[in-house]
Amino acid sequence: MSTTQTFTVTGMTCGHCVASVTEEVQEIAGVENVAVDLPTGAVTITSAAPLDASAVQAAVEEAGYQLA
């Protein structure tokens, strides 16, 4: 059964930002889907099991952004 978690990312301003965050988060083991809402900064992640927030934070920071 899949799990859905939503995180808020700060600093995204354009479609390229969204693509960068999506690409990095998709590399986390178990991630099935990533949906990013640019206006709100919401990043909704569907995964096979709950993700460790530190793994998400590391991926977001690798893309050059921060979790709120």
Side-chain angles (χ1 to χ4, degrees):
M1 183 167 170
S2 296
T3 299
T4 301
Q5 295 167 273
T6 301
F7 298 87
T8 301
V9 176
T10 59
M12 296 186 299
T13 57
C14 64
H16 179 263
C17 302
V18 169
S20 296
V21 170
T22 300
E23 182 179 328
E24 291 296 337
V25 172
Q26 284 178 328
E27 291 181 5
I28 300 170
V31 170
E32 297 169 350
N33 187 55
V34 180
V36 180
D37 183 59
L38 181 59
T40 64
V43 178
T44 303
I45 305 166
T46 304
S47 55
L51 298 177
D52 185 352
S54 64
V56 176
Q57 181 174 352
V60 168
E61 290 178 356
E62 181 69 27
Y65 306 95
Q66 299 288 321
L67 288 183

